[in-house]
Amino acid sequence: MTASDLPAPFRLMARDRVGSTNDEARRLAELGQAADFVVVTAREQTNGRGRRGRTWDSPAGNLHCSLLLAAPRLDVAAQLGFVAAVAVVDALSALVPAAAFRAKWPNDVLAEGRKVAGMLLEPAGEGWLVLGLGIDVAAAPPDEQVLHPATALTELGYGGSAELVLAAFCRAFAPWVERWRRDGFAPLRNAWLERAAGLGKPIEVRLERGTETGLFAGLDQDGALVLDQGGTHRRIMAGDVHFPAAPIA
Amino acid sequence: MSTPPIQAELVRTLAELLDETNLTEIEYDTGSLRIRVARQGVPVAAHLPAAMPAVAAPPVSQPAAVAHDDASHPGAVTSPMVGVAYLSPDPASPKFVEIGQAVSEGQTLMLIEAMKTFNPIRAPRGGKVVRILVTDSQPVEFGEPLVIIE
């Protein structure tokens, strides 16, 4: 794959085998070599990471990439995860029209109720955000190894490559980033809610300590999950969402 | 010159608005009077122009007042974002720092997560960690003091 395969303004830095593309991207930022919309990809990650020390299976054939984005305000940088989730839903819906793709708070993407994409975001250097994105294109981990059952695009009938998935994501992502930078979070919040799984339904949020249950009432102005617990609204900034009454429509 | 009365009704209205809109902070300014109402740990305060005697509304609660003092402590490291504080890199690992520990500039003190964005909080200068003001997995607000380094 060459840089010309990605639409402007993206610039590809393709690697073969790395520990984690997030670490590679962060290193660029710390060396002062970051630029907006640089995409670091790897054929394979040996140390793909998830939340709180979890690993992310990263076999060849799946998409593992990290984007460098200018994010001068750290307090709103997390909103870029919602921007990317909206773009992943749109890109995958276009590639696999027969499957239903939904966003799961905060920035996972589900296909037919099973997890197909995840993200991990980290600030880096001065004013940069590294947005790590993994999409299960060719293979998904078995159910007993993961918190949320997963699927891969090939299982849904997709016959293309990870490179084509990345190009489709980039095409969908650029205009949403531009919109977010110009108009703020409100339009992105609405776009995300339109694509959300389980809105208004009972959910379970597993926190570091304990579990909260309630109705998924929406997002606040920061992107926090609003959980309706018998009329009391609780704001959640971090946690793993589960849908007790699976499958999700 | 008499002390201006605290505009209890106005503060109450703003506090209700804060809840309705789910904002973290509202500032109301008439030119002669400025009232800022903020949620979680920050006291409700009325600011008056310099020409008038400065009168602060009583703090909402004692813990809030203490948090406010910590925020203005010269060695305070405050939160750059709203999120959840983690004192260790993952649940199975030891804490980044302990009370009494010497730290160098740039050393990671804790992580703050907001929606899967993990932000390392680094020591702005070298020194000794004298207090850790948050517990593991605690939600924190923008500007909330996290650690005191002396």
Side-chain angles (χ1 to χ4, degrees), chain B residues 5-42:
Chain B
I6 292 165
Q7 310 244 345
E9 198 49 46
L10 187 53
V11 172
R12 196 167 294 124
T13 306
L14 290 174
E16 281 166 13
L17 256 179
L18 199 68
D19 274 341
E20 272 174 36
T21 55
N22 217 1
L23 292 170
T24 48
E25 185 176 316
I26 292 180
E27 194 166 295
Y28 176 81
D29 194 342
T30 61
S32 60
L33 173 74
R34 191 167 95 234
I35 298 179
R36 188 173 72 89
V37 182
R39 80 168 72 241
Q40 288 217 359
V42 184

Side-chain angles (χ1 to χ4, degrees), chain A residues 153-245:
Chain A
L153 295 180
T154 49
E155 293 170 24
L156 302 161
Y158 175 70
S161 64
E163 286 77 7
L164 287 176
V165 173
L166 175 61
F169 165 74
C170 288
R171 275 194 301 277
F173 186 53
W176 280 118
V177 173
E178 196 186 316
R179 181 88 193 271
W180 176 74
R181 285 177 175 169
R182 192 183 60 226
D183 300 334
F185 187 49
L188 269 304
R189 179 179 172 275
N190 291 337
W192 188 90
L193 286 169
E194 283 167 11
R195 293 159 177 78
L199 192 61
K201 300 204 173 120
I203 57 166
E204 199 178 279
V205 190
R206 295 186 198 156
L207 309 175
E208 192 102 329
R209 292 191 191 132
T211 297
E212 295 289 335
T213 54
L215 295 179
F216 177 20
L219 292 183
D220 81 348
Q221 78 286 347
D222 294 318
L225 183 150
V226 181
L227 195 62
D228 182 345
Q229 298 183 307
T232 306
H233 280 192
R234 187 186 165 125
R235 220 164 136 241
I236 294 177
M237 305 297 297
D240 293 305
V241 170
H242 292 263
F243 304 100

Side-chain angles (χ1 to χ4, degrees), chain A residues 51-52 108 119 121 221 237, chain B residues 22 89 113 115-116 118:
Chain A
R51 278 189 80 230
R52 309 294 296 133
D108 285 349
M119 291 177 212
L121 298 85
Q221 78 286 347
M237 305 297 297
Chain B
N22 217 1
E113 178 188 6
M115 284 78 76
K116 268 166 62 183
F118 285 85

Side-chain angles (χ1 to χ4, degrees), chain A residues 105-116:
Chain A
W105 188 89
N107 38 48
D108 285 349
V109 173
L110 307 178
E112 302 292 331
R114 290 180 156 256
K115 179 161 166 171
V116 74

Side-chain angles (χ1 to χ4, degrees), chain A residues 87-151:
Chain A
V88 171
V89 170
D90 289 357
L92 299 185
S93 301
L95 289 176
V96 192
F101 294 92
R102 309 296 288 173
K104 178 169 96 76
W105 188 89
N107 38 48
D108 285 349
V109 173
L110 307 178
E112 302 292 331
R114 290 180 156 256
K115 179 161 166 171
V116 74
M119 291 177 212
L120 190 71
L121 298 85
E122 300 173 292
E126 294 291 316
W128 295 97
L129 183 79
V130 173
L131 190 153
L133 168 66
I135 301 182
D136 289 344
V137 178
D143 287 0
E144 62 275 14
Q145 276 180 26
V146 286
L147 274 173
H148 198 100
T151 190

Side-chain angles (χ1 to χ4, degrees), chain B residues 122-142:
Chain B
R122 300 186 195 279
R125 70 196 81 82
K128 194 168 101 177
V129 175
V130 293
R131 288 168 70 196
I132 297 175
L133 302 162
V134 292
T135 55
D136 192 50
S137 310
Q138 180 189 319
V140 295
E141 294 295 320
F142 180 86

